[in-house]
């Protein structure tokens, strides 16, 4: 399967601990996105990369969140000093947009479900 | 922040019936996309409609776009139990990211 993969699928952590999630996009896709989704809500944009450059980060995202895509391939999302409000599904998606600024369809992974106790 | 608002929030129909979901948005867009999500899974892209298009079809799916009203609708014809899922609209207004709506939860009863 050459789709988007995320690891781990589930993570339970205690409040105050740091967690890191990994996303492996589809290999030829140059854009990579992170979204957060809570129960009954739509995905909320967190950040996205074009190759290794982080082009946008949501203003709603606290400084405890950081994402990297060091070689323009896989990406990691780290949450420091986790809080119970961080409990959510963290979704990664990738795409390969055509030339220009138009967004093309996103291919999503199955997410990492984080539970902070 | 969410740009799209979907209506209804939940929809329950019988197999064979048609399902219509609506999406409204606030700013001008490059394109609008619809996605489907089964419980506990990632989203799957269904269809993309560009701002200069008014209607698009894909199998049993029909999407319309009215940019003057800033709204779109997704019609699923001859629904099946396997269509049970959450459906989201998403707008591309800045060419970088997609902003998703709250979703419509569709239940198709056999």
């Amino acid at each position: 399967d050459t789709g988007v993969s995320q690891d781990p699928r589930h993570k339970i952590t205690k409040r105050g601990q740091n967690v890191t999630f990994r996303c492996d996009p589809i290999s030829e896709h140059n854009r990579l996105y992170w979204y957060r989704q809570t129960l009954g809500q739509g995905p909320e944009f967190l950040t996205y990369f074009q190759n290794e450059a982080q082009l946008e980060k949501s203003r709603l995202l606290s400084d405890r969140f950081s994402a990297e895509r060091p070689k323009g391939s896989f990406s990691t999302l780290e949450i420091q000093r986790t809080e119970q409000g961080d409990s959510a599904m963290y979704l990664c998606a990738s795409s390969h947009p055509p030339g220009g600024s138009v967004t093309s369809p996103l291919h999503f992974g199955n997410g990492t479900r984080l539970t902070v106790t | 922040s969410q740009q799209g608002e979907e209506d209804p929030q939940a929809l329950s129909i019988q197999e064979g019936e048609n399902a219509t979901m609506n999406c409204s948005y606030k700013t001008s867009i490059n394109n609008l996309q619809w996605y489907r999500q089964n419980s506990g899974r990632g989203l799957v892209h269904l269809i993309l409609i560009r701002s200069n298009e008014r209607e698009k079809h894909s199998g049993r799916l029909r999407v319309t776009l009215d940019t003057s009203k800033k709204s779109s609708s997704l019609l699923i014809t001859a629904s099946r139990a396997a269509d049970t899922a959450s459906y989201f609209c998403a707008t591309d207004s800045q060419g970088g990211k997609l902003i998703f709506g709250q979703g419509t939860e569709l239940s198709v009863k056999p």
Side-chain angles (χ1 to χ4, degrees):
Chain A
D1 189 327
T2 57
V4 177
S5 64
Q6 292 187 244
D7 182 68
R9 286 296 316 274
H10 303 274
K11 178 71 177 178
I12 300 174
T13 191
K14 293 186 177 180
R15 190 176 52 191
Q17 298 293 305
N18 299 344
V19 294
T20 301
F21 310 141
R22 178 181 169 121
C23 172
D24 287 89
I26 294 172
S27 59
E28 63 269 24
H29 285 184
N30 55 6
R31 279 198 185 169
L32 186 147
Y33 298 78
W34 285 100
Y35 285 84
R36 176 172 63 189
Q37 186 179 28
T38 53
L39 198 62
Q41 301 295 311
E44 176 188 22
F45 171 77
L46 295 179
T47 188
Y48 87 98
F49 294 83
Q50 173 100 2
N51 299 313
E52 66 274 10
Q54 187 173 20
L55 296 189
E56 188 172 346
K57 185 176 176 180
S58 170
R59 288 172 301 208
L60 301 175
L61 211 57
S62 81
D63 291 341
R64 296 184 297 106
F65 287 72
S66 63
E68 293 183 343
R69 195 183 182 198
K71 299 181 181 178
S73 56
F74 74 92
S75 176
T76 57
L77 176 68
E78 181 183 19
I79 308 174
Q80 296 183 326
R81 305 181 302 283
T82 52
E83 302 172 356
Q84 287 187 322
D86 297 332
S87 295
M89 176 78 88
Y90 290 84
L91 294 164
C92 175
S94 68
S95 72
H96 186 72
S101 61
V102 176
T103 303
S104 61
L106 302 189
H107 298 255
F108 280 83
N110 284 324
T112 293
R113 180 167 297 284
L114 174 66
T115 302
V116 181
T117 61
Chain B
S1 61
Q2 309 290 130
Q3 149 135 272
E5 291 186 5
E6 272 128 315
D7 171 55
Q9 289 189 337
L11 179 61
S12 181
I13 59 174
Q14 296 293 130
E15 241 182 351
E17 295 180 339
N18 295 342
T20 299
M21 289 159 266
N22 302 296
C23 168
S24 61
Y25 57 91
K26 297 173 185 171
T27 64
S28 62
I29 60 172
N30 295 320
N31 65 58
L32 184 144
Q33 304 179 29
W34 284 90
Y35 288 78
R36 164 198 170 122
Q37 184 179 35
N38 288 88
S39 181
R41 309 281 289 183
L43 286 77
V44 175
H45 177 259
L46 295 176
I47 198 164
L48 180 154
I49 187 164
R50 293 183 170 79
S51 60
N52 61 354
E53 297 175 312
R54 292 297 166 258
E55 187 170 313
K56 205 159 182 182
H57 297 254
S58 177
R60 294 184 295 112
L61 306 181
R62 173 177 166 250
V63 168
T64 62
L65 179 65
D66 186 335
T67 53
S68 67
K69 294 181 179 178
K70 291 187 170 61
S71 67
S72 174
S73 67
L74 170 67
L75 169 67
I76 303 174
T77 60
S79 63
R80 305 166 182 168
D83 294 329
T84 295
S86 294
Y87 292 82
F88 297 92
C89 68
T91 53
D92 166 19
S93 58
Q94 297 175 342
K97 62 182 186 250
L98 285 184
I99 301 297
F100 285 83
Q102 307 280 25
T104 292
E105 191 173 332
L106 174 65
S107 174
V108 182
K109 300 188 187 318

